[in-house]
mmCIF file with all atom_site columns, all heavy atoms in Angstrom:
data_model
loop_
_atom_site.group_PDB
_atom_site.id
_atom_site.type_symbol
_atom_site.label_atom_id
_atom_site.label_alt_id
_atom_site.label_comp_id
_atom_site.label_asym_id
_atom_site.label_entity_id
_atom_site.label_seq_id
_atom_site.pdbx_PDB_ins_code
_atom_site.Cartn_x
_atom_site.Cartn_y
_atom_site.Cartn_z
_atom_site.occupancy
_atom_site.B_iso_or_equiv
_atom_site.pdbx_formal_charge
_atom_site.auth_seq_id
_atom_site.auth_comp_id
_atom_site.auth_asym_id
_atom_site.auth_atom_id
_atom_site.pdbx_PDB_model_num
ATOM 1  N N   . ALA A 1 157 ? 23.160 141.699 -114.309 1.00 0.00 ? 1186 ALA A N   1
ATOM 2  C CA  . ALA A 1 157 ? 24.167 140.929 -113.593 1.00 0.00 ? 1186 ALA A CA  1
ATOM 3  C C   . ALA A 1 157 ? 23.940 139.448 -113.817 1.00 0.00 ? 1186 ALA A C   1
ATOM 4  O O   . ALA A 1 157 ? 22.898 139.040 -114.348 1.00 0.00 ? 1186 ALA A O   1
ATOM 5  C CB  . ALA A 1 157 ? 24.085 141.250 -112.097 1.00 0.00 ? 1186 ALA A CB  1
ATOM 6  N N   . THR A 1 158 ? 24.939 138.648 -113.410 1.00 0.00 ? 1187 THR A N   1
ATOM 7  C CA  . THR A 1 158 ? 24.823 137.193 -113.502 1.00 0.00 ? 1187 THR A CA  1
ATOM 8  C C   . THR A 1 158 ? 25.078 136.586 -112.133 1.00 0.00 ? 1187 THR A C   1
ATOM 9  O O   . THR A 1 158 ? 26.072 136.917 -111.476 1.00 0.00 ? 1187 THR A O   1
ATOM 10 C CB  . THR A 1 158 ? 25.858 136.627 -114.502 1.00 0.00 ? 1187 THR A CB  1
ATOM 11 O OG1 . THR A 1 158 ? 25.677 137.266 -115.758 1.00 0.00 ? 1187 THR A OG1 1
ATOM 12 C CG2 . THR A 1 158 ? 25.687 135.120 -114.661 1.00 0.00 ? 1187 THR A CG2 1
ATOM 13 N N   . ASP A 1 159 ? 24.174 135.699 -111.715 1.00 0.00 ? 1188 ASP A N   1
ATOM 14 C CA  . ASP A 1 159 ? 24.401 134.897 -110.507 1.00 0.00 ? 1188 ASP A CA  1
ATOM 15 C C   . ASP A 1 159 ? 25.342 133.770 -110.928 1.00 0.00 ? 1188 ASP A C   1
ATOM 16 O O   . ASP A 1 159 ? 24.952 132.870 -111.672 1.00 0.00 ? 1188 ASP A O   1
ATOM 17 C CB  . ASP A 1 159 ? 23.060 134.354 -109.996 1.00 0.00 ? 1188 ASP A CB  1
ATOM 18 C CG  . ASP A 1 159 ? 23.230 133.547 -108.715 1.00 0.00 ? 1188 ASP A CG  1
ATOM 19 O OD1 . ASP A 1 159 ? 24.343 133.026 -108.487 1.00 0.00 ? 1188 ASP A OD1 1
ATOM 20 O OD2 . ASP A 1 159 ? 22.249 133.442 -107.960 1.00 0.00 ? 1188 ASP A OD2 1
ATOM 21 N N   . LEU A 1 160 ? 26.596 133.833 -110.487 1.00 0.00 ? 1189 LEU A N   1
ATOM 22 C CA  . LEU A 1 160 ? 27.604 132.905 -110.983 1.00 0.00 ? 1189 LEU A CA  1
ATOM 23 C C   . LEU A 1 160 ? 27.400 131.487 -110.455 1.00 0.00 ? 1189 LEU A C   1
ATOM 24 O O   . LEU A 1 160 ? 27.994 130.537 -110.971 1.00 0.00 ? 1189 LEU A O   1
ATOM 25 C CB  . LEU A 1 160 ? 29.008 133.419 -110.625 1.00 0.00 ? 1189 LEU A CB  1
ATOM 26 C CG  . LEU A 1 160 ? 29.350 134.787 -111.240 1.00 0.00 ? 1189 LEU A CG  1
ATOM 27 C CD1 . LEU A 1 160 ? 30.689 135.286 -110.711 1.00 0.00 ? 1189 LEU A CD1 1
ATOM 28 C CD2 . LEU A 1 160 ? 29.381 134.734 -112.757 1.00 0.00 ? 1189 LEU A CD2 1
ATOM 29 N N   . ALA A 1 161 ? 26.564 131.329 -109.440 1.00 0.00 ? 1190 ALA A N   1
ATOM 30 C CA  . ALA A 1 161 ? 26.302 129.984 -108.910 1.00 0.00 ? 1190 ALA A CA  1
ATOM 31 C C   . ALA A 1 161 ? 25.545 129.141 -109.922 1.00 0.00 ? 1190 ALA A C   1
ATOM 32 O O   . ALA A 1 161 ? 25.805 127.949 -110.076 1.00 0.00 ? 1190 ALA A O   1
ATOM 33 C CB  . ALA A 1 161 ? 25.536 130.080 -107.593 1.00 0.00 ? 1190 ALA A CB  1
ATOM 34 N N   . ASP A 1 162 ? 24.577 129.745 -110.618 1.00 0.00 ? 1191 ASP A N   1
ATOM 35 C CA  . ASP A 1 162 ? 23.763 128.945 -111.549 1.00 0.00 ? 1191 ASP A CA  1
ATOM 36 C C   . ASP A 1 162 ? 23.579 129.600 -112.918 1.00 0.00 ? 1191 ASP A C   1
ATOM 37 O O   . ASP A 1 162 ? 22.826 129.089 -113.750 1.00 0.00 ? 1191 ASP A O   1
ATOM 38 C CB  . ASP A 1 162 ? 22.393 128.645 -110.923 1.00 0.00 ? 1191 ASP A CB  1
ATOM 39 C CG  . ASP A 1 162 ? 21.623 129.920 -110.596 1.00 0.00 ? 1191 ASP A CG  1
ATOM 40 O OD1 . ASP A 1 162 ? 22.080 131.010 -110.986 1.00 0.00 ? 1191 ASP A OD1 1
ATOM 41 O OD2 . ASP A 1 162 ? 20.559 129.828 -109.953 1.00 0.00 ? 1191 ASP A OD2 1
ATOM 42 N N   . GLY A 1 163 ? 24.257 130.730 -113.142 1.00 0.00 ? 1192 GLY A N   1
ATOM 43 C CA  . GLY A 1 163 ? 24.180 131.384 -114.455 1.00 0.00 ? 1192 GLY A CA  1
ATOM 44 C C   . GLY A 1 163 ? 22.916 132.197 -114.676 1.00 0.00 ? 1192 GLY A C   1
ATOM 45 O O   . GLY A 1 163 ? 22.681 132.706 -115.776 1.00 0.00 ? 1192 GLY A O   1
ATOM 46 N N   . THR A 1 164 ? 22.080 132.343 -113.652 1.00 0.00 ? 1193 THR A N   1
ATOM 47 C CA  . THR A 1 164 ? 20.841 133.121 -113.800 1.00 0.00 ? 1193 THR A CA  1
ATOM 48 C C   . THR A 1 164 ? 21.149 134.594 -114.071 1.00 0.00 ? 1193 THR A C   1
ATOM 49 O O   . THR A 1 164 ? 22.036 135.174 -113.438 1.00 0.00 ? 1193 THR A O   1
ATOM 50 C CB  . THR A 1 164 ? 19.997 133.067 -112.502 1.00 0.00 ? 1193 THR A CB  1
ATOM 51 O OG1 . THR A 1 164 ? 19.980 131.747 -112.023 1.00 0.00 ? 1193 THR A OG1 1
ATOM 52 C CG2 . THR A 1 164 ? 18.588 133.568 -112.726 1.00 0.00 ? 1193 THR A CG2 1
#
Side-chain angles (χ1 to χ4, degrees):
T1187 304
D1188 182 336
L1189 299 174
D1191 60 8
T1193 316

